[in-house]
Amino acid sequence: MARRKIIAGNWKMNMTPTEAVALVNTLKPLVVNDDVDVVFCVPAIDIIPAMEAAKGSNIAIGAENLYFEDKGAYTGEISPAMLVDAGVKYVITGHSERREYFAETDETVNKKVLKAFAHGLTPIICCGETLTQREQGITIDWIRQQIKIAFLNVTEEQAKKAVIAYEPIWAIGTGKVATTEQAEEVCAAIRACIGELYGAETAEEIRIQYGGSVSASSAPELFAQPDIDGGLVGGASLKPDFGKIVNYNK
Ligand code: PGA
């Protein structure tokens, strides 16, 4: 069974609700590709207006974060039930910017992953190495550790549905995309790691994205790799270019 590609935009902290509606309306006719699941992960305040604007299209609206408790005194946080009630299907967990600026750790990522699954949300689980770690030659060890912790207590059935985004930190927002070989090498290693944890069937089914300066010109070669099942796209997801990325195979 061939894995279906999944191409997700990560808007980060961009777009007011008004701008979000305009962007969804601009991109709606451009991101049609029957071979691809298309997701726009948007700021929490944009979820509902973006969802309205995307109605009747192939775009699924996702979130950029969630909290790992169901409800209560956690000022400023968004619960999984809130996301589900708003119609969200996908949620990014453990993006490197959240790890760097908001003290997210492998342990909190694991809690969020478990909570997302408990509420029927599909987590897009981010991992990635720094430039120093790559130069030290520990990339694969580091990524394997991130994956093993993120998947603690995740069942096989859940793991099959998960999405992993391999995003080398040095490639994010820098215009310095990983080479196809670098990206494929790590995505293949992630799949092998999932195989060790859950067996061959899960490794075959789980979808692994590449992220980090994906552009209309780099997408076709990246997404043609055997272990790369699409992308998590930041900067280019805010532009009409995102339509070209989604239609990488046309
Ligand atoms: P970028 O961001 O495409 O702007 O490099 C990717 C990401 O952070 O998900």
Side-chain angles (χ1 to χ4, degrees):
M1 188 192 74
R3 286 181 298 273
R4 195 172 156 77
K5 300 279 183 202
I6 176 163
I7 300 178
N10 172 13
W11 287 11
K12 310 194 179 187
M13 197 176 74
N14 294 295
M15 301 291 139
T16 65
T18 308
E19 291 166 343
V21 169
L23 183 58
V24 170
N25 285 331
T26 303
L27 292 180
K28 222 168 15 178
L30 306 178
V31 296
V32 179
N33 182 346
D34 288 342
D35 309 327
V36 174
D37 287 339
V38 178
V39 186
F40 288 12
C41 295
V42 307
I45 198 165
D46 295 341
I47 289 172
I48 289 175
M51 192 81 67
E52 270 305 303
K55 256 193 193 138
S57 77
N58 60 321
I59 302 166
I61 300 297
E64 297 179 11
N65 186 29
L66 83 169
Y67 196 54
F68 52 72
E69 296 291 347
D70 282 324
K71 59 161 79 170
Y74 305 102
T75 302
E77 292 295 318
I78 310 281
S79 77
M82 292 170 191
L83 297 180
V84 170
D85 188 59
V88 165
K89 299 272 184 305
Y90 296 91
V91 57
I92 298 175
T93 57
H95 191 278
S96 61
E97 286 150 17
R98 295 214 54 89
R99 294 177 190 256
E100 182 175 355
Y101 306 126
F102 303 101
E104 213 144 282
T105 64
D106 289 331
E107 286 70 27
T108 59
V109 172
N110 175 238
K111 285 184 183 178
K112 290 181 176 194
V113 168
L114 292 171
K115 210 39 146 182
F117 277 127
H119 286 263
L121 293 161
T122 298
I124 298 176
I125 305 163
C126 300
C127 59
E129 81 287 2
T130 63
L131 188 56
T132 307
Q133 289 168 326
R134 177 159 283 275
E135 287 167 356
Q136 289 167 335
I138 60 163
T139 297
I140 303 286
D141 295 329
W142 175 258
I143 301 290
R144 283 173 55 87
Q145 175 168 318
Q146 286 189 317
I147 294 297
K148 285 184 179 179
I149 300 174
F151 280 83
L152 279 176
N153 299 316
V154 171
T155 68
E156 187 181 334
E157 281 318 300
Q158 290 169 337
K160 282 181 180 158
K161 296 194 199 95
V163 178
I164 297 172
Y166 165 55
E167 299 203 304
I169 295 169
W170 48 271
I172 295 177
T174 57
K176 207 176 152 192
V177 65
T179 65
T180 306
E181 293 70 29
Q182 287 171 327
E184 168 59 19
E185 183 198 11
V186 179
C187 290
I190 293 171
R191 197 174 303 286
C193 182
I194 292 294
E196 286 167 32
L197 296 174
Y198 295 101
E201 205 183 298
T202 308
E204 199 47 43
E205 278 187 42
I206 197 166
R207 294 190 288 181
I208 305 174
Q209 300 172 314
Y210 167 79
S213 297
V214 172
S215 64
S217 59
S218 60
E221 203 182 303
L222 284 165
F223 299 170
Q225 299 309 303
D227 290 295
I228 302 180
D229 306 315
L232 183 57
V233 183
S237 73
L238 302 170
K239 301 184 201 136
D241 249 23
F242 194 54
K244 294 193 194 134
I245 294 174
V246 168
N247 285 287
Y248 75 96
N249 61 342
K250 305 285 171 189

